[in-house]
């Protein structure tokens, strides 16, 4: 079998490292063609040494020059460099695992070069989902989900086998994060270190905070609408603290199909890489008798309003979801730096969203323009809140 040649955008991050772990364990199936990150020279240099890609890219130009000197290989810098590696001739498949809207242009570059995409970066679809999915159809490329919930839905849909008109609801499960069951008074006291302690998943800092605010689930609702082509009235969320059922699809006859496994991102990463095949022994077996119970609850939208804002942005359409995402990225960064409190995250997003009437998105530029405006607005809201 011909080896699949892979570019990883965001190779030094949590998803990138897990992807390399999978690739390294199935050397007869996969090889690394290119690696890209922001500026983590030491980590990417080690990865280059192990996986021998043909090229690398770093967003930070200075770091790119340093890495080129260190390794003697082609290393491209800046956003152009990320887009260039996404189009790499020697690659068939691109894993999109940069965090945030910074992943939009490189992901589009991969699509337009005809590469199939394994999508971890949900912010790409939140920022410009309808446009990106249209481009994927236009260029005839597959968008394979890596986000665990969407991988689960994708697998359940395949088993359902009757097309979208037989789907009643997509049910995304949410762990609830570290603050499940808490109230707003308690949340007013939490610090970044508390929010970074996720009960079930080891992830990057931004997504870990998103999991604590439930914005991660909001972004995933938007991601699901675009990936599966359904309206937001068909995407529901249930809190399931054990993170064993990764999501479900309810069909019109009342039947529900779900996908279960231990919470380990190597499972959805491997499925995206090997689809439609399955690799052997990707993650340890799930012992169902060792699970004390599987429980479910409705999300608390009053305490965690970010999820409600995501539905609101979907309803508003156009640039509204790009604005939601950009305001969230800025607010989460400010929370991580200790500049604002946990409850300020939704407050900043709400204020930025209500000042931005949505406009249509007919190109990446429309989405990025909205993203830029929302970032500036979020910074000024935060500055004002700090003064109060
Ligand atoms: P991390 O923070 O662990 O890693 C982010 C990666 O992106 C790093 O390689 C980082 O490079 C790189 N990066 C960040 N900004 C830029 C930029 N401007 N240009 C180039 N590279 C950049 O994040 P995760 O791996 O946790 O998440 C990645 C994406 O996958 C996110 O969109 C997240 O929502 C999604 N996801 C993650 C899951 C998880 O379990 N972690 C689960 C499902 C989805 P550097 O090291 O140099 O800073
Ligand atoms: Mg997820």
């Amino acid at each position: 079998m011909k080896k699949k040649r892979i570019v990883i955008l965001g190779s030094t991050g949590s998803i990138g490292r897990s992807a390399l772990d999978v690739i390294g364990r199935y050397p007869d199936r996969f090889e690394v063609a290119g690696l890209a990150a922001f500026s983590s020279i030491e980590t990417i240099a080690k990865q280059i040494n192990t996986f021998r890609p043909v090229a690398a890219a770093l967003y930070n130009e200075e770091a790119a020059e340093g890495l080129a000197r260190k390794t003697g290989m082609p290393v491209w810098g800046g956003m152009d460099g990320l887009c260039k590696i996404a189009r790499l001739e020697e690659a068939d498949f691109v894993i999109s695992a940069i965090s945030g809207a910074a992943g939009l242009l490189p992901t589009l570059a991969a699509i337009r070069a005809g590469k199939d995409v394994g999508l971890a970066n949900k912010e790409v679809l939140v920022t410009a989902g309808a446009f990106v999915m249209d481009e994927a159809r236009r260029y005839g490329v597959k968008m394979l989900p890596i986000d665990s919930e969407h991988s689960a839905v994708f697998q359940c849909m395949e088993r359902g086998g009757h097309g979208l008109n037989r789907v009643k609801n997509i049910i995304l499960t949410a762990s609830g994060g570290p603050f499940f069951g808490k109230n707003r008074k308690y949340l007013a006291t939490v610090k970044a270190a508390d929010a970074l302690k996720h009960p079930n998943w080891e992830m990057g800092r931004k997504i870990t905070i998103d999991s604590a605010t439930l914005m991660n689930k909001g972004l995933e609702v938007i991601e699901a609408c675009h990936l599966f082509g359904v309206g937001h009235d068909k995407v529901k969320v249930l809190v399931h603290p054990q993170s064993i059922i990764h999501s479900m699809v309810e069909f019109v006859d009342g039947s529900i199909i779900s996908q279960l496994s231990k919470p380990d991102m190597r499972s959805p990463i491997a499925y995206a890489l090997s689809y439609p095949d399955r690799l052997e022994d990707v993650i340890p077996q799930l012992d169902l008798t060792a699970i004390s119970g599987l429980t479910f609850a409705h999300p608390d939208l009053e305490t965690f309003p970010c999820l409600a804002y995501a539905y609101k942005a979907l309803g508003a359409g156009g640039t509204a979801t790009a604005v939601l995402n950009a305001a969230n990225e800025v607010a989460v960064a400010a929370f991580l730096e200790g500049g604002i409190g946990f409850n300020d995250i939704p407050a900043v997003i709400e204020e930025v969203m209500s000042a931005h009437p949505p406009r249509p998105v007919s190109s990446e530029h429309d989405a990025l323009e909205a993203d830029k405006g929302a970032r500036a607005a979020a910074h000024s809201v935060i500055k004002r809140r700090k003064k109060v």
Side-chain angles (χ1 to χ4, degrees):
M1 190 186 286
K2 196 171 158 278
K3 285 189 195 180
K4 197 173 267 185
R5 299 164 305 169
I6 297 153
V7 166
I8 306 180
L9 305 170
S11 67
T12 55
S14 161
I15 292 289
R17 285 181 275 114
S18 294
L20 284 171
D21 179 76
V22 172
I23 292 168
R25 282 164 51 211
Y26 302 89
D28 53 326
R29 299 288 297 264
F30 311 114
E31 66 188 21
V32 175
L35 296 173
F38 181 77
S39 66
S40 300
I41 295 196
E42 297 306 325
T43 311
I44 203 167
K46 280 193 203 123
Q47 295 177 340
I48 288 169
N49 204 19
T50 310
F51 291 95
R52 305 273 166 199
V54 296
L58 288 175
Y59 181 80
N60 182 300
E61 306 261 4
E62 222 173 287
E65 283 167 25
L67 183 65
R69 275 196 302 277
K70 200 176 164 97
T71 58
M73 66 181 296
V75 182
W76 302 312
M79 187 49 80
D80 287 348
L82 296 178
C83 292
K84 195 166 166 185
I85 205 155
R87 291 192 292 265
L88 196 71
E89 209 185 313
E90 291 87 347
D92 325 289
F93 191 93
V94 174
I95 294 183
S96 171
I98 286 174
S99 63
L104 175 62
L105 293 181
T107 306
L108 275 171
I111 291 170
R112 288 168 177 159
K115 319 284 186 200
D116 287 337
V117 173
L119 189 74
N121 180 326
K122 59 199 85 182
E123 294 92 338
V124 166
L125 292 186
V126 176
T127 302
F131 176 71
V132 169
M133 293 308 289
D134 279 349
E135 288 292 273
R137 275 186 287 273
R138 193 148 80 95
Y139 286 89
V141 304
K142 293 190 192 76
M143 296 288 281
L144 294 161
I146 285 183
D147 212 345
S148 56
E149 295 76 2
H150 305 74
S151 177
V153 170
F154 181 62
Q155 295 178 54
C156 298
M157 292 273 203
E158 281 186 303
R159 295 296 160 260
H162 304 290
L164 273 181
N165 62 342
R166 294 291 178 261
V167 171
K168 187 164 184 197
N169 285 306
I170 287 174
I171 304 165
L172 301 181
T173 50
S175 70
F179 306 136
F180 175 52
K182 304 289 191 213
N183 59 28
R184 280 182 71 80
K185 203 168 152 212
Y186 174 86
L187 295 181
T189 67
V190 305
K191 298 276 174 279
D194 310 312
L196 285 169
K197 284 185 210 126
H198 195 281
N200 304 340
W201 298 97
E202 284 274 331
M203 309 180 285
R205 285 157 63 85
K206 192 259 176 184
I207 183 176
T208 307
I209 303 302
D210 286 347
S211 300
T213 60
L214 283 200
M215 180 55 98
N216 183 49
K217 213 48 55 181
L219 302 179
E220 290 183 355
V221 170
I222 301 169
E223 182 186 12
C225 291
H226 294 302
L227 268 177
F228 303 112
V230 298
H232 60 277
D233 54 322
K234 279 195 170 186
V235 183
K236 309 281 193 279
V237 172
L238 273 185
V239 177
H240 165 49
Q242 297 81 17
S243 296
I244 294 293
I245 292 186
H246 298 301
S247 279
M248 318 174 217
V249 178
E250 182 181 11
F251 293 89
V252 285
D253 58 358
S255 186
I256 295 179
I257 298 184
S258 66
Q259 185 257 337
L260 290 72
S261 77
K262 287 196 167 175
D264 186 328
M265 286 308 294
R266 291 174 304 174
S267 167
I269 291 169
Y271 192 59
L273 284 172
S274 64
Y275 176 82
D277 196 7
R278 285 181 186 270
L279 303 170
E280 278 180 38
D281 300 323
V282 173
I283 59 168
Q285 227 175 344
L286 173 65
D287 177 2
L288 286 166
T289 61
I291 299 169
S292 54
L294 298 176
T295 57
F296 303 92
H298 289 295
D300 172 357
L301 298 186
E302 304 238 317
T303 310
F304 301 97
C306 287
L307 177 55
Y309 298 159
Y311 278 103
K312 200 172 158 194
L314 264 172
T319 50
T321 55
V323 168
L324 168 96
N325 178 67
N328 180 56
E329 284 193 31
V330 172
V332 168
F335 172 70
L336 281 169
E337 284 161 14
I340 59 172
F342 190 82
N343 289 332
D344 291 327
I345 299 175
V348 169
I349 296 165
E350 211 273 329
E351 196 170 336
V352 173
M353 277 180 70
S354 40
H356 276 77
R359 284 190 291 270
V361 176
S362 41
S363 72
E364 62 266 45
H365 306 295
D366 294 338
L368 288 175
E369 191 70 22
D371 172 280
K372 200 171 147 197
R375 276 171 206 270
H379 280 297
S380 55
V381 171
I382 288 168
K383 213 163 145 192
R384 210 191 55 237
R385 291 183 87 86
K386 275 185 186 166
K387 277 195 198 134
V388 183

